[in-house]
Amino acid sequence: SPGRACTRRPSAAMADSTSPEFKRILVTGGAGFLGSHLCRRLVNEGHDVVCMDNYFTSQKTNVSDLLGKPNFEIVRHDVTHPYFLEVDQIYNMACPASPVHYQFNPVKTMKTSVLGMMNMLGLAKRVKARILQASTSEVYGDPNVSPQPESYWGHLNCT
């Protein structure tokens, strides 16, 4: 729910929760393709993971194998609304990435990208968390090369 205050403590079942490597991590877009794989990796590393998603282009079944884990929590929430949570790290993966999805509702896509980033940056600032902002190759425009190597700078038409 918007504005919900939540302070989640490490699970008692976590054997290494006192380790300096243990982190409480928020993954927005966590039920999406990349987000679900990231959640799985972080949970398997022993971190306490909160997966946030509104299921606009994803589904809960992408993380169904994690639902019974003591160090995994899923929250249905839209990043365009503020969210309050005590975390050490934020991975902001929320945004429709496929042209089919982001062209279906371009205003929602823009709000997710802009307001979502602002809300996650605000949360990171409040709780002094590190944040990673993900993006899509679409920011590079209509490519002349496909697939694009990491060295490709893009092809933009700014007119």
Side-chain angles (χ1 to χ4, degrees), residues 8-143:
R8 191 150 189 267
R9 295 288 158 221
S11 167
M14 297 287 298
D16 63 351
S17 65
T18 57
S19 159
E21 298 298 315
F22 173 81
K23 304 258 189 262
R24 286 173 292 169
I25 301 172
L26 172 64
V27 179
T28 68
F33 178 74
L34 292 177
S36 62
H37 287 279
L38 178 59
C39 284
R40 198 166 288 107
R41 167 95 183 242
L42 295 169
V43 165
N44 288 338
E45 288 178 357
H47 301 291
D48 196 21
V49 177
V50 177
C51 168
M52 177 195 292
D53 212 298
N54 66 352
Y55 309 120
F56 182 64
T57 61
S58 63
Q59 47 195 347
K60 193 185 285 189
T61 56
N62 289 346
V63 291
S64 60
D65 60 307
L66 299 175
L67 294 176
K69 304 265 185 186
N71 58 328
F72 181 78
E73 178 182 353
I74 191 161
V75 176
R76 176 178 234 152
H77 185 81
D78 191 321
V79 294
T80 64
H81 301 286
Y83 192 73
F84 302 95
L85 180 73
E86 295 290 327
V87 292
D88 301 303
Q89 296 178 351
I90 301 166
Y91 292 84
N92 191 16
M93 311 295 285
C95 195
S98 163
V100 172
H101 292 129
Y102 65 71
Q103 290 172 357
F104 173 74
N105 191 339
V107 173
K108 179 159 187 59
T109 299
M110 185 65 71
K111 285 181 176 181
T112 301
S113 296
V114 176
L115 296 176
M117 183 202 285
M118 290 174 61
N119 286 328
M120 291 304 105
L121 286 171
L123 174 61
K125 183 178 179 181
R126 279 190 301 278
V127 300
K128 296 179 176 45
R130 295 186 73 176
I131 184 167
L132 177 127
Q133 175 64 43
S135 186
T136 173
S137 63
E138 291 299 319
V139 301
Y140 299 110
D142 192 16

